[in-house]
Amino acid sequence: MAKKKKSMKSKTITKKKGVTTKKNSNLKSKKKTIVNSKTKNIKKSEVNETKKKNQSIKNKQIEEKNIVEKPIEKKAIEKKTTDKKQIEKKTIDKKQIEEKIKDSKETKKEVIEAKKSLEIDLPKKKVSKIEKQKEETESKQIDKTKTKKKNKKVSNVHKIERTKKNAFLSTIKKYRRKIKIYGIFSVISKRMCAVIASAFLIFIFLLVGLNYISPKTDLIDLESISKDIDQLKTVKFNINNSNEIVTSSNAYTNLTNYYLYDYKSTFNIDEEWIKDAVIKYNKSNKGLYMAILPNSGYEEKIKSGVNKFLNSKNIKATYFEYDGYMFYINSSNNNSVISKIKQTQIRVFDILEELNTTGIENMFGISSNLYTDYVVKTAMLKTEITGYMIFKPKNKNAAVEIDRLMDEYFNELEEKYSNDEDKLKLIRTRYEGTYNGYLVYLISKDNELVNQLIKK
């Protein structure tokens, strides 16, 4: 029994311990639930606050939409009501017209016209957002075009005001109107038109003429020109070819040469009357070859002296003049002698030498800075003066300077040979000109022939 009591006591104690443990666990769980409930309540309050804020924002957006959509809905409702009323009116009108058509026998055309008038406009479909955007863009474009037109009108108004203020422009516009209505002669007389037309034609002719006359700028091949010019000959009488003429003609035999000291005693000719002469004579057969270059003013004295000689010897000689010479011919075949005289050729230039830039500067004073291309050749013998000078100047100022220096050189030559008529004649009859932008200076016995060869 004692054991049973002990066991019962132990059970009660364990039971009590279990109760206490249970009580403790319940307390703990209760504490936890209170804490959790507090945290949950805090979270719920925060969520509620956020929800309230979101709802307030949404409500504002909805109100703004409603403010925008209300007039649109009102308009749609109004349109629907107006459409219904129109449809009802048209149905009533249709019935009335059908009754009238039954009563009155109208023509088919009138019936068709009545039916057309009764065509009912169906209600429009709902417009989508894309279509609205298109309509808005189209309306904006139309507004832009309208503003542009307005600006154009304004600008035209300003232009008109300006022209009215400007007297010159207004007069021009008046003349335009007159020309459109009455023609050109209402503003300008026929005489003035003729004068203007003639002046215009003269101006064109002058331009064409200047283009034609103006020198070309093509380069000249100076090397080929110098080769052709140096050996150039002209058909002129050369008194040095007298021996060749006599022998080649086969019209003379055994002619003797006479010199200056014999001219006075035998032919009645003074030395002062003659520049140059060749006289060949045969006393036995009376063969005569006489070529005389007279000094100016002594031609008649030479004629009278030679005629006295011919009359004294009974010689019938033929007389002619050629290239400044006086000829007396008496032979077995005078025609052949005359033809040989006229076939003789003379060199245009004497024997020439070419000058370089230093030689040009020493002789003429022309620096190499003034020209880009050149050919200058002068007589090798200092007693002769023939030659040619061709320069391509760098510019207009250089051309003027070259021309000035060449004039100084020719003036010095004239002073040097003032007592020699032949050389003075060559210097004074020199050629100075331009061709293709080149300056050309010639002292020769046939300047025209040389000039033609350069231009070829």
Side-chain angles (χ1 to χ4, degrees):
M1 288 294 285
K3 287 179 182 179
K4 283 182 182 180
K5 284 180 182 180
K6 284 180 183 177
S7 63
M8 288 293 286
K9 284 179 182 179
S10 63
K11 283 179 183 180
T12 54
I13 290 159
T14 53
K15 282 180 183 180
K16 285 178 182 179
K17 284 180 182 178
V19 169
T20 54
T21 52
K22 281 180 183 180
K23 283 180 181 179
N24 290 323
S25 63
N26 288 321
L27 289 166
K28 285 178 182 179
S29 62
K30 280 180 183 179
K31 284 179 182 178
K32 283 179 182 179
T33 52
I34 290 158
V35 170
N36 288 324
S37 64
K38 284 180 181 179
T39 53
K40 281 178 183 180
N41 290 321
I42 290 156
K43 285 181 181 179
K44 281 180 182 180
S45 64
E46 286 176 356
V47 169
N48 290 322
E49 284 178 358
T50 53
K51 281 181 180 181
K52 283 178 182 179
K53 284 180 182 179
N54 290 323
Q55 282 177 357
S56 63
I57 290 159
K58 284 180 182 180
N59 290 324
K60 283 180 182 180
Q61 289 177 355
I62 290 157
E63 284 174 0
E64 287 174 355
K65 283 182 182 180
N66 290 325
I67 288 158
V68 176
E69 288 175 357
K70 276 178 184 178
I72 294 162
E73 287 175 357
K74 284 179 182 179
K75 285 180 182 179
I77 292 156
E78 286 175 357
K79 280 184 181 179
K80 284 179 183 179
T81 53
T82 50
D83 290 330
K84 284 178 182 180
K85 286 177 182 179
Q86 285 177 359
I87 291 159
E88 287 173 356
K89 282 181 181 179
K90 284 182 179 180
T91 50
I92 292 157
D93 293 331
K94 192 176 181 181
K95 286 177 182 179
Q96 289 175 359
I97 289 159
E98 281 176 356
E99 287 174 358
K100 284 180 182 179
I101 288 160
K102 286 178 183 179
D103 294 332
S104 63
K105 292 178 181 179
E106 289 179 352
T107 58
K108 288 182 180 180
K109 287 181 181 179
E110 288 175 350
V111 171
I112 291 157
E113 287 176 358
K115 283 181 180 180
K116 281 181 182 179
S117 64
L118 290 169
E119 285 179 355
I120 298 160
D121 294 328
L122 294 168
K124 291 181 180 179
K125 293 179 181 179
K126 289 182 180 178
V127 181
S128 62
K129 288 182 180 179
I130 296 158
E131 288 176 352
K132 281 181 181 179
Q133 287 177 357
K134 284 182 181 179
E135 286 177 356
E136 284 175 358
T137 52
E138 286 175 358
S139 64
K140 283 178 182 178
Q141 287 177 356
I142 290 158
D143 292 330
K144 283 181 181 179
T145 54
K146 284 179 180 179
T147 52
K148 282 181 181 179
K149 285 179 180 178
K150 283 179 182 178
N151 290 323
K152 282 183 181 179
K153 285 179 181 178
V154 171
S155 62
N156 289 322
V157 168
H158 285 299
K159 284 179 182 178
I160 291 157
E161 285 177 356
R162 283 175 189 172
T163 52
K164 282 179 179 178
K165 286 178 182 179
N166 196 344
F168 180 71
L169 293 170
S170 62
T171 51
I172 286 164
K173 285 194 172 181
K174 282 178 185 178
Y175 287 134
R176 278 182 185 173
R177 286 170 195 160
K178 277 187 179 181
I179 289 161
K180 283 179 182 178
I181 296 162
Y182 303 108
I184 294 165
F185 298 117
S186 64
V187 176
I188 302 165
S189 63
K190 289 180 181 179
R191 196 173 184 180
M192 280 296 292
C193 287
V195 170
I196 290 159
S198 59
F200 181 70
L201 289 168
I202 289 160
F203 179 70
I204 288 162
F205 282 122
L206 284 169
L207 284 173
V208 172
L210 287 168
N211 288 323
Y212 182 75
I213 292 161
S214 61
K216 295 176 183 178
T217 57
D218 298 331
L219 293 171
I220 298 169
D221 190 1
L222 296 175
E223 289 182 3
S224 63
I225 285 167
S226 62
K227 285 177 184 177
D228 295 332
I229 287 171
D230 289 352
Q231 302 300 322
L232 188 64
K233 291 180 180 180
T234 182
V235 180
K236 282 189 175 184
F237 178 70
N238 190 358
I239 199 165
N240 296 320
N241 291 333
S242 294
N243 291 326
E244 291 179 7
I245 291 162
V246 169
T247 54
S248 63
S249 65
N250 297 318
Y252 295 104
T253 56
N254 298 323
L255 292 174
T256 57
N257 292 319
Y258 287 81
Y259 300 100
L260 284 172
Y261 53 84
D262 294 322
Y263 291 168
K264 181 67 176 173
S265 59
T266 54
F267 304 109
N268 301 316
I269 301 168
D270 289 335
E271 292 180 10
E272 294 177 357
W273 302 348
I274 296 167
K275 283 183 183 179
D276 198 3
V278 171
I279 298 172
K280 295 176 181 289
Y281 175 59
N282 189 340
K283 289 180 181 180
S284 61
N285 61 13
K286 297 180 181 180
L288 180 66
Y289 174 85
M290 192 179 284
I292 300 165
L293 183 65
N295 284 321
S296 60
Y298 293 101
E299 290 86 0
E300 294 298 324
K301 288 182 178 181
I302 291 165
K303 280 180 183 179
S304 63
V306 172
N307 286 328
K308 282 179 184 179
F309 165 73
L310 294 173
N311 290 326
S312 65
K313 302 295 180 179
N314 293 321
I315 297 169
K316 291 181 180 180
T318 57
Y319 171 77
F320 68 96
E321 293 178 3
Y322 175 71
D323 201 16
Y325 286 83
M326 299 168 71
F327 292 95
Y328 292 91
I329 306 297
N330 187 28
S331 68
S332 61
N333 190 353
N334 290 339
N335 289 326
S336 67
V337 175
I338 290 163
S339 67
K340 293 290 179 183
I341 287 164
K342 290 183 178 180
Q343 286 174 14
T344 58
Q345 288 183 330
I346 189 168
R347 285 182 68 175
V348 174
F349 297 101
D350 297 308
I351 298 164
L352 301 173
E353 65 175 351
E354 190 171 358
L355 299 179
N356 57 14
T357 54
T358 55
I360 290 163
E361 194 166 0
N362 291 328
M363 184 173 272
F364 304 103
I366 297 168
S367 175
S368 60
N369 295 324
L370 298 172
Y371 53 86
T372 56
D373 196 9
Y374 71 98
V375 167
V376 176
K377 289 191 177 184
T378 56
M380 189 177 284
L381 296 170
K382 291 181 180 180
T383 55
E384 302 297 333
I385 57 166
T386 57
Y388 59 89
M389 307 87 188
I390 301 169
F391 296 99
K392 174 73 175 173
K394 280 189 175 179
N395 49 41
K396 288 181 180 180
N397 294 324
V400 171
E401 185 63 19
I402 290 164
D403 199 27
R404 186 184 67 77
L405 293 167
M406 287 303 296
D407 284 337
E408 287 180 2
Y409 170 74
F410 291 132
N411 290 327
E412 288 174 2
L413 277 180
E414 284 182 10
E415 288 177 3
K416 186 178 179 180
Y417 296 102
S418 59
N419 296 323
D420 192 337
E421 290 184 3
D422 291 335
K423 288 175 182 176
L424 268 176
K425 189 178 180 181
L426 287 172
I427 294 162
R428 286 171 181 171
T429 58
R430 69 184 179 271
Y431 173 80
E432 294 181 14
T434 57
Y435 178 68
N436 278 14
Y438 287 78
L439 296 171
V440 181
Y441 304 93
L442 304 173
I443 299 174
S444 70
K445 291 165 186 176
D446 194 344
N447 292 328
E448 288 182 5
L449 187 67
V450 177
N451 214 354
Q452 285 174 6
L453 194 144
I454 289 166
K455 288 178 180 178
K456 282 180 183 178

